[in-house]
Amino acid sequence: MFLINCPYCGERDQSEFSSGGEAHIERPKQPTELSDDEWADFLFMRKNIKGIQFERWNHSHGCRKWFNLIRDTSNDKIHGIYKMGEKPPKV
Amino acid sequence: MSKFRINKTNFVDQTNRISFKFDGKTFFGFKGDTLASALIANGIHLVGRSFKYHRPRGIMTCGSEEPNAICQINDKSNLTEPNVRATEIELYEGLEANSQNCWPSVQFDIGGINNLISPFIPAGFYYKTFMWPKSFWKTVYEPLIRKTAGLGKSPIKPDPEIYDHKHVHCDVLVIGGGISGIISAKLSAKNNLNTILIDDKKELGGSTIFQDNEIFKINNKISKDWLLNEIHEIKKLKNLQIKTRTSVAAYHDYNYLLASESLNDHLPKNEKDRSVRQRLWKIRAKKVIIATGAIERPLVFNNNDRPGILLANSINKYLNYFGVTCGLKNVIFTNNDSGYETAISLHKKGLDVKIIDLRKRSGSELIKETEKLGIKIHWNSTITNTFGYRKINSIEIMSLSEDGSNVIGEKNKIFCDCLGISGGWTPMVHMHTQSGGKLNFRETDQVFIPKEFSDNRISVGSSNGHFELDEIVKSTNQTVKKFLHIQDTDLDDTNISCSKELEKRNIWLLPNYISIGKNKSFIDFQNDSTAKDIKLAMREGFKSIEHVKRYTTTGMATDQGKLSNMHALGIIAETAAVKMGSLGTTTFRPPFTPLTFGTIVGRSVGKFFDITRKTPMHEWHVKNNAEFENVGQWKRAWYYSRDNENMHQSVQRESKAARDSAGILDASTLGKIDIKGSDATEFLNRVYTNAWSKLSIGKCRYGLMLNEDGMVYDDGVTTRIGENHYLMTTTTGGAANVLSKLEDYLQTEWPELDVWLTSVTDHYATASICGPNSKKILKKLFSDIEFNDQNFPHMSFKNAKIDGIDCRIMRISFTGEHSYEINIEAKYGNSLWEKCMEAGKDFNITPYGTETMHLLRAEKGFIIVGQDTDGTMTPIDLQMDWIVSKKKYDFIGKRSLYRSDTMREDRKQLVGLLTDEPNTVLEEGAQIVYDENKKPIEMIGHVTSSYFSPNLNKSIALAVVKNGRKLKGQKLLVPMRDQTINVTVSDFIFYDKNNERLNA
């Protein structure tokens, strides 16, 4: 059970949050220009790596804000948290 | 006093006599006893039968590792609990306990025959035997196995006890109240750290509390007396919270731990007084000190499971802590020095004791003392057999060969009524590994110990592999100092004297002249697996410890292998001639000891299990005989039964009334999202499939929302209240998800949009009035509004007042009838409803529930998202092409509608179905096929909605069918259990195809 430092509310229990999968997958600005494969890549393909992973999290039972979180999936260490639109810190 | 109660101690109050029942017979014990100590005091060792062979079994330990003495408590009441360890049950007046796994009694158990046929039921017996013939599994084998399987009986009535949860935060959590835990907690609390000390026993002290030997001294006090004083001291510390009778069950990430506290299990019925039984502590600790100690190991030899065979240190605890002796003629069988402490204790109480030691010789202080006392020691010897069916009465010993691989010389018989065994100690590394810590294997005494510490977690004392008293105290002091950044402590100059172990000799499976196939050397006492089973598994090709464990079930009983896992590993290593450290361990999983379901659930039972949402008109529905349906967390009126109608009759009446004159529905549960901002229109354009730019203020529009994969996600009517202000409605069940999905897009994809979303579902109550007379009723309610099609057309809205209260009227329809939805502030919901009923009285206004709503909309072919769709339906599949804008450049899901898969023509598509026999109503979910004879039968679709329509006087259904768009008029089959129903594909709009009634 993680302790997550919400950038808006501070440290809270994991049960207040929900995970939104891989971060930094931008919705294409011109979807109609994309081939089926390119669109499918955006729509379905997500990384599942062992190690440092960039994720989206939502403080769903708190301020309802989305933010980004850097997590090492091998030991669940959180290496950084930053707001949407911000550049990820160096890990 | 019984002949086994030989000693007075500080921990058992011998002036306070308690009566209890075991297997129906009344016995007496004292306050402070456990069930196990009280039974031993009464000379009772046989307390259960083993799981597989039904061998007589006795109390073996004094703690949570107990494999044998597990009881059914309070049988025949709804408070009954199976598999409770007698070693942990504190005695109270009126306690009733029964042995398990035996019939007709523990003394004479029919299942004992399994012991005689044991050569025929080896490990893997089930897998090998019950495979053939296949048809026997369901009819013969499974019922038979189920009958004999399982330990104890679960209660069959609801648990009447109260359970609780508590969240706590602390600077330092110390797990384990033995000597190292007490030292740690004191250091921590004295340094102004908010500290919690947890122990599963009723008192602190661990096993030092009964170490009553002049050889072991701290600052010139016998270790137990020194520790008693420390306990006395730490109880005064302000920063320290001590929780006894509390067992840490799980250690999760980020120092989040769960502990179960037992609050009233030790109290007699009349003192419980509806108090909380158990409390689950959810602890967030900045730092954790693991001081969980070690568990003594059994030795593995032939017939090592008889009643009267106990772990040596447990005998010491029964003697020095509870004041009872386990036997009058004792033998201690050991491979290490700790067994000698027990022998000396027994000797000092005037009891007969002999020692059998695997080692060739040793000259430690303890051994010198033992020899000085004249206790007979058989060096370099092992036990080859034990005798006595219901209790041990003698043992047979032989000498060991030089390398320990064989027995040599004569067999000697020794008479005894109690045998203490000690195979060394296993550090309790459960918490360390649960928290993600790794282990190292220490060859010298063959133990797994924590490999590394982190900044916020350490292990101390014997759980860290320190077994000598001086080492425990000094290393705990040093480690904790470093961990908590403490400079000097009282313990820095402690003067400790103790005996040091000089020799070690460990043999995991002791040699015997009887071949392994013919002897019974138990490893896992609770699951009855023997050394022979492990060897068999290895011969059959199982190599990984995880596989051997599952094949032989070693370590898989309720004690989770606390006594057996190391021996299984050791025997595998010995047999395969590999290093034990290279085998790794099985995974230590929570909970450490079993938790009750009550503790896990806490207060979330009955009406607290989930939130119940009720509309402001709920009480009116109750008074008017509504049956309710759960929609998400909402209670929605399902139908209103009049004059003992059944559901079908009510729904038929309500449906007819709504179309003939007027019906009223409580639509308050529909999700409502208030949308504001200068980009609100653009936002709607992006989230709905249709265009919103041209919707003028005061108008409503139906919208369909997709997922990015093109599948229908939600639908509802959105009203333009003002230039930059909309009110969106969603499905009842989808409200929360739609809001968070929209928030997601706003915050992450389109942060440039000026849009603000607010959930107002609970803020407004909604009464929906439909039917040809609805306009007349509205006129009576709102005399100042002109209800004609010019002023108030279909799909438009008006602000209005009723009795001076603001409300919004939307002219929208989900039934196909001329209809209005009135939204008012929630607190006026019930008044509004009653006013509508009053105004509609002359028009037979009929309240209808969700079932009628579903029927009416199905007549019109309106879909319900989640009923007629299932996350695989595109708008095109639903034949709703009309709502998908071709002009808009983009909206959520648009691109996916042009993927090759979503453009396939043979996708399942929404159709209507009419049964050839108009009175036959299809079952929702029923499969639809072309041809029953061609096998395998191809399923081409299924029924999604089905009703008997009173307005059409026939059965109607919606269904999704492969290539359904092109199948109109096609005959299809719906095969059911007792008949096959003939159906014809039809249009899915069954009623008023031209929407004439909307404007009637």
Side-chain angles (χ1 to χ4, degrees):
Chain A
M1 190 78 87
F2 309 162
L3 210 50
I4 297 174
N5 194 3
C6 169
Y8 303 93
C9 308
E11 228 170 39
R12 295 288 191 281
D13 197 275
Q14 186 185 345
S15 56
E16 292 186 15
F17 298 84
S18 44
S19 166
E22 192 182 338
H24 303 297
I25 296 178
E26 203 176 330
R27 188 176 187 274
K29 291 272 183 293
Q30 296 174 315
T32 43
E33 313 289 313
L34 301 181
S35 69
D36 267 12
D37 281 353
E38 285 166 329
W39 179 248
D41 193 49
F42 156 72
L43 201 53
F44 302 121
M45 304 312 280
R46 297 292 181 270
K47 286 188 203 111
N48 182 20
I49 46 178
K50 183 179 179 182
I52 299 288
Q53 183 162 287
F54 295 79
E55 299 174 338
R56 283 154 32 94
W57 283 75
N58 183 222
H59 195 183
S60 44
H61 296 278
C63 64
R64 304 217 322 253
K65 283 283 197 183
W66 284 90
F67 56 89
N68 295 309
L69 183 152
I70 310 171
R71 180 171 67 104
D72 187 335
T73 58
S74 67
N75 58 17
D76 281 337
K77 287 250 155 59
I78 295 172
H79 289 284
I81 286 174
Y82 53 104
K83 292 180 183 172
M84 281 293 156
E86 289 181 353
K87 284 230 162 70
K90 285 229 161 68
V91 180
Chain B
M1 208 189 281
S2 88
K3 59 181 174 177
F4 298 102
R5 178 84 65 180
I6 58 162
N7 191 7
K8 278 199 163 60
T9 74
N10 293 333
F11 308 103
V12 174
D13 178 5
Q14 295 199 10
T15 62
N16 196 339
R17 204 168 82 136
I18 287 173
S19 78
F20 68 99
K21 275 188 179 170
F22 183 72
D23 278 343
K25 241 179 109 181
T26 302
F27 295 97
F28 294 96
F30 295 111
K31 195 166 170 58
D33 265 328
T34 59
L35 175 61
S37 70
L39 285 170
I40 292 171
N42 284 282
I44 292 171
H45 279 261
L46 171 56
V47 289
R49 291 278 177 156
S50 71
F51 185 57
K52 188 171 167 188
Y53 303 124
H54 290 254
R55 286 168 67 100
R57 288 282 167 80
I59 298 155
M60 197 175 163
T61 73
C62 58
S64 64
E65 69 271 35
E66 176 61 38
N68 290 338
I70 53 174
C71 302
Q72 185 90 30
I73 300 296
N74 298 315
D75 200 3
K76 297 191 180 80
S77 85
N78 50 355
L79 295 169
T80 192
E81 195 181 352
N83 302 331
V84 190
R85 291 165 294 279
T87 50
E88 292 192 308
I89 303 165
E90 292 177 43
L91 209 62
Y92 58 84
E93 188 66 40
L95 169 70
E96 286 186 35
N98 288 79
S99 2
Q100 294 182 170
N101 212 35
C102 53
W103 185 85
S105 78
V106 70
Q107 296 289 328
F108 178 76
D109 175 21
I110 295 279
I113 194 144
N114 283 5
N115 190 35
L116 301 176
I117 62 164
S118 64
F120 306 106
I121 46 177
F125 166 70
Y126 284 57
Y127 309 123
K128 290 166 187 162
T129 312
F130 299 117
M131 297 299 290
W132 182 92
K134 209 176 164 189
S135 62
F136 267 40
W137 177 251
K138 253 201 132 98
T139 50
V140 184
Y141 297 144
E142 193 185 344
L144 203 81
I145 292 168
R146 284 213 180 277
K147 224 174 134 179
T148 52
L151 285 167
K153 288 176 278 183
S154 42
I156 48 170
K157 285 186 199 148
D159 187 343
E161 298 275 10
I162 304 166
Y163 300 86
D164 208 8
H165 284 186
K166 188 168 182 171
H167 294 260
V168 285
H169 295 257
C170 62
D171 294 325
V172 177
L173 172 71
V174 182
I175 313 171
I179 183 164
S180 54
I182 289 167
I183 291 171
S184 307
K186 188 177 173 186
L187 290 177
S188 167
K190 280 191 94 169
N191 283 278
N192 290 324
L193 294 163
N194 171 14
T195 309
I196 299 176
L197 172 63
I198 285 184
D199 192 77
D200 61 348
K201 303 277 189 308
K202 77 175 159 67
E203 272 142 3
L204 299 177
S207 54
T208 312
I209 202 76
F210 54 89
Q211 189 174 45
D212 191 7
N213 192 314
E214 291 280 341
I215 296 174
F216 297 90
K217 279 186 168 173
I218 303 172
N219 290 342
N220 288 322
K221 275 185 181 168
I222 291 179
S223 55
K224 100 176 156 95
D225 295 325
W226 181 84
L227 193 63
L228 276 170
N229 187 52
E230 289 294 296
I231 293 170
H232 183 71
E233 290 295 316
I234 62 166
K235 281 183 179 164
K236 295 185 209 156
L237 293 174
K238 256 195 250 149
N239 290 321
L240 179 63
Q241 190 180 5
I242 299 170
K243 287 270 109 192
T244 51
R245 296 192 178 99
T246 306
S247 171
V248 176
Y251 191 154
H252 296 294
D253 295 316
Y254 292 79
N255 280 352
Y256 180 71
L257 296 98
L258 299 177
S260 167
E261 180 183 16
S262 172
L263 290 154
N264 73 11
D265 276 344
H266 59 289
L267 299 176
K269 242 175 237 162
N270 56 353
E271 284 175 41
K272 287 189 185 180
D273 195 28
R274 296 288 297 151
S275 58
V276 173
R277 183 187 173 208
Q278 288 165 353
R279 176 173 290 141
L280 188 70
W281 286 67
K282 300 177 172 183
I283 307 165
R284 213 39 113 160
K286 291 205 179 98
K287 295 192 171 207
V288 175
I289 299 173
I290 300 166
T292 43
I295 286 180
E296 196 167 28
R297 293 174 180 169
L299 288 163
V300 180
F301 55 94
N302 187 26
N303 288 322
N304 59 343
D305 66 325
R306 297 196 189 281
I309 303 181
L310 292 92
L311 296 178
N313 196 54
S314 297
I315 294 175
N316 205 13
K317 178 160 187 182
Y318 285 119
L319 192 64
N320 287 334
Y321 188 92
F322 294 106
V324 296
T325 181
C326 298
L328 303 174
K329 278 178 79 70
N330 302 279
V331 173
I332 302 294
F333 181 27
T334 184
N335 69 356
N336 66 87
D337 277 9
S338 65
Y340 287 76
E341 287 185 50
T342 304
I344 292 170
S345 290
L346 287 163
H347 180 86
K348 283 187 174 165
K349 297 288 177 307
L351 293 155
D352 189 56
V353 60
K354 293 182 180 65
I355 292 176
I356 298 155
D357 198 323
L358 285 183
R359 296 174 296 179
K360 289 169 185 165
R361 186 147 291 275
S362 176
S364 70
E365 260 187 75
L366 256 178
I367 286 159
K368 283 184 199 151
E369 170 78 6
T370 308
E371 284 169 337
K372 208 165 79 191
L373 293 171
I375 298 169
K376 169 79 182 153
I377 305 170
H378 297 266
W379 292 105
N380 192 32
S381 298
T382 183
I383 296 180
T384 49
N385 211 347
T386 68
F387 307 93
Y389 186 60
R390 294 194 179 89
K391 189 169 181 201
I392 189 165
N393 59 31
S394 56
I395 58 171
E396 178 189 82
I397 69 166
M398 288 177 81
S399 291
L400 284 165
S401 64
E402 180 62 25
D403 65 352
S405 67
N406 232 320
V407 283
I408 49 172
E410 283 175 21
K411 297 168 196 162
N412 279 313
K413 203 159 183 179
I414 298 175
F415 291 93
C416 64
D417 62 352
C418 173
L419 172 64
I421 51 178
S422 177
W425 293 83
T426 300
M428 290 283 91
V429 293
H430 295 63
M431 290 299 136
H432 172 79
T433 54
Q434 273 188 30
S435 74
K438 300 277 179 286
L439 298 172
N440 264 342
F441 187 69
R442 189 166 71 194
E443 281 291 341
T444 47
D445 53 352
Q446 306 197 303
V447 290
F448 284 101
I449 51 173
K451 187 175 183 177
E452 82 298 302
F453 295 154
S454 75
D455 292 343
N456 51 30
R457 178 209 64 218
I458 53 166
S459 293
V460 295
S462 56
S463 68
N464 193 34
H466 299 301
F467 298 130
E468 310 279 13
L469 184 66
D470 56 346
E471 243 183 82
I472 290 171
V473 175
K474 286 185 173 152
S475 81
T476 301
N477 182 37
Q478 288 308 323
T479 316
V480 172
K481 268 168 74 175
K482 212 174 134 198
F483 183 57
L484 301 179
H485 313 293
I486 299 169
Q487 298 299 325
D488 303 310
T489 76
D490 307 344
L491 288 166
D492 290 347
D493 311 311
T494 312
N495 174 19
I496 300 162
S497 59
C498 64
S499 170
K500 304 282 272 184
E501 190 166 272
L502 300 173
E503 302 294 329
K504 296 183 194 301
R505 186 184 203 185
N506 191 36
I507 304 168
W508 288 109
L509 173 59
L510 292 162
N512 207 313
Y513 60 90
I514 308 165
S515 73
I516 181 75
K518 290 197 175 137
N519 81 45
K520 280 250 176 328
S521 305
F522 284 92
I523 293 173
D524 187 320
F525 294 85
Q526 200 175 92
N527 263 354
D528 261 357
S529 54
T530 62
K532 173 183 148 189
D533 295 328
I534 301 273
K535 295 211 169 203
L536 177 73
M538 293 183 70
R539 277 207 307 282
E540 292 186 357
F542 293 95
K543 287 194 181 80
S544 150
I545 174 66
E546 296 283 4
H547 292 156
V548 173
K549 167 182 165 174
R550 279 156 184 82
Y551 192 59
T552 62
T553 72
T554 302
M556 290 173 69
T558 62
D559 61 349
Q560 295 197 11
K562 290 190 179 78
L563 292 184
S564 58
N565 282 343
M566 287 302 288
H567 299 77
L569 275 172
I571 290 169
I572 292 171
E574 272 174 5
T575 309
V578 295
K579 290 224 165 193
M580 193 167 157
S582 69
L583 290 173
T585 61
T586 55
T587 313
F588 297 90
R589 289 195 181 84
F592 177 68
T593 48
L595 288 174
T596 60
F597 284 112
T599 316
I600 297 166
V601 176
R603 301 260 175 177
S604 307
V605 288
K607 63 179 177 180
F608 298 117
F609 180 68
D610 196 9
I611 291 162
T612 305
R613 297 174 83 182
K614 293 174 183 167
T615 73
M617 294 82 121
H618 186 83
E619 286 311 311
W620 191 94
H621 304 322
V622 173
K623 271 185 223 142
N624 286 273
N625 228 11
E627 284 292 326
F628 289 90
E629 176 183 28
N630 292 326
V631 184
Q633 290 167 328
W634 286 103
K635 293 272 174 210
R636 293 200 72 177
W638 195 11
Y639 62 93
Y640 302 81
S641 176
R642 251 187 221 171
D643 310 324
N644 296 322
E645 287 168 333
N646 63 23
M647 175 169 159
H648 176 71
Q649 290 163 333
S650 301
V651 171
Q652 296 290 304
R653 171 181 53 75
E654 290 170 13
S655 306
K656 197 110 184 56
R659 293 224 190 275
D660 288 351
S661 178
I664 180 166
L665 171 83
D666 179 357
S668 309
T669 63
L670 281 185
K672 297 181 266 297
I673 299 171
D674 188 85
I675 304 175
K676 280 183 179 158
S678 55
D679 294 318
T681 309
E682 169 62 15
F683 180 66
L684 290 175
N685 271 330
R686 295 187 190 186
V687 300
Y688 278 130
T689 61
N690 45 346
W692 291 80
S693 305
K694 287 182 183 151
L695 185 71
S696 48
I697 295 167
K699 289 283 159 52
C700 317
R701 183 164 287 172
Y702 174 75
L704 200 59
M705 198 183 287
L706 308 185
N707 258 331
E708 205 66 271
D709 62 5
M711 303 304 158
V712 172
Y713 184 69
D714 202 78
D715 68 346
V717 170
T718 295
T719 304
R720 189 164 197 178
I721 309 262
E723 177 62 28
N724 296 323
H725 187 192
Y726 291 85
L727 183 69
M728 173 191 276
T729 59
T730 73
T731 55
T732 297
N737 292 337
V738 169
L739 181 70
S740 47
K741 178 185 159 96
L742 298 183
E743 274 290 347
D744 188 352
Y745 275 92
L746 266 183
Q747 289 180 32
T748 66
E749 299 292 352
W750 309 319
E752 73 279 6
L753 292 187
D754 173 38
V755 177
W756 305 92
L757 306 175
T758 313
S759 167
V760 291
T761 304
D762 298 273
H763 303 49
Y764 297 102
T766 309
S768 171
I769 301 174
C770 78
N773 284 321
S774 58
K775 196 198 292 185
K776 291 175 195 159
I777 297 167
L778 267 281
K779 268 183 191 161
K780 283 176 82 175
L781 288 166
F782 303 94
S783 51
D784 53 339
I785 292 179
E786 276 186 63
F787 286 94
N788 57 50
D789 287 348
Q790 278 77 43
N791 184 51
F792 202 163
H794 182 56
M795 296 308 268
S796 65
F797 117 94
K798 291 253 175 280
N799 283 311
K801 274 189 196 299
I802 186 163
D803 288 352
I805 308 298
D806 287 330
C807 52
R808 289 174 180 150
I809 308 170
M810 278 83 170
R811 186 174 162 193
I812 52 178
S813 175
F814 192 39
T815 58
E817 294 299 316
H818 189 123
S819 86
Y820 298 90
E821 283 188 13
I822 311 167
N823 287 276
I824 197 161
E825 222 183 297
K827 62 181 170 185
Y828 303 112
N830 197 51
S831 314
L832 171 72
W833 183 270
E834 283 178 347
K835 278 196 168 297
C836 294
M837 289 304 297
E838 181 59 32
K841 216 153 76 182
D842 299 342
F843 306 99
N844 183 32
I845 190 167
T846 301
Y848 65 91
T850 50
E851 191 63 21
T852 293
M853 174 188 81
H854 284 186
L855 192 161
L856 294 173
R857 66 87 207 180
E859 289 177 340
K860 280 291 292 175
F862 292 150
I863 58 151
I864 290 184
V865 173
Q867 175 158 346
D868 302 299
T869 74
D870 61 359
T872 65
M873 302 296 288
T874 69
I876 320 301
D877 297 337
L878 294 168
Q879 307 211 32
M880 290 172 80
D881 316 39
W882 54 272
I883 202 171
V884 180
S885 165
K886 299 268 189 310
K887 289 183 196 148
K888 280 201 292 183
Y889 180 70
D890 193 13
F891 55 81
I892 297 173
K894 173 163 181 165
R895 176 62 185 83
S896 291
L897 298 178
Y898 302 95
R899 289 178 57 235
S900 57
D901 184 57
T902 43
M903 296 199 3
R904 264 191 304 124
E905 290 206 343
D906 63 341
R907 291 177 62 84
K908 284 183 184 172
Q909 289 147 357
L910 186 75
V911 296
L913 285 186
L914 292 172
T915 49
D916 291 2
E917 203 292 296
N919 284 321
T920 305
V921 181
L922 295 171
E923 264 184 47
E924 288 174 359
Q927 294 290 327
I928 301 163
V929 307
Y930 274 120
D931 184 353
E932 272 190 297
N933 299 318
K934 199 179 144 237
K935 292 187 179 156
I937 304 172
E938 191 196 356
M939 310 288 180
I940 58 164
H942 64 273
V943 179
T944 58
S945 298
S946 172
Y947 308 90
F948 186 83
S949 159
N951 299 300
L952 298 159
N953 203 24
K954 64 179 178 188
S955 147
I956 57 165
L958 298 175
V960 292
V961 176
K962 255 187 197 171
N963 210 12
R965 272 173 180 254
K966 293 189 178 153
L967 292 182
K968 205 177 282 180
Q970 172 81 42
K971 297 266 178 205
L972 295 172
L973 303 172
V974 178
M976 301 302 292
R977 184 185 283 251
D978 48 357
Q979 59 167 336
T980 295
I981 302 166
N982 294 299
V983 297
T984 307
V985 176
S986 72
D987 193 344
F988 55 79
I989 305 172
F990 301 98
Y991 190 78
D992 187 29
K993 227 162 265 186
N994 300 322
N995 291 331
E996 282 157 8
R997 302 183 65 89
L998 280 178
N999 298 315

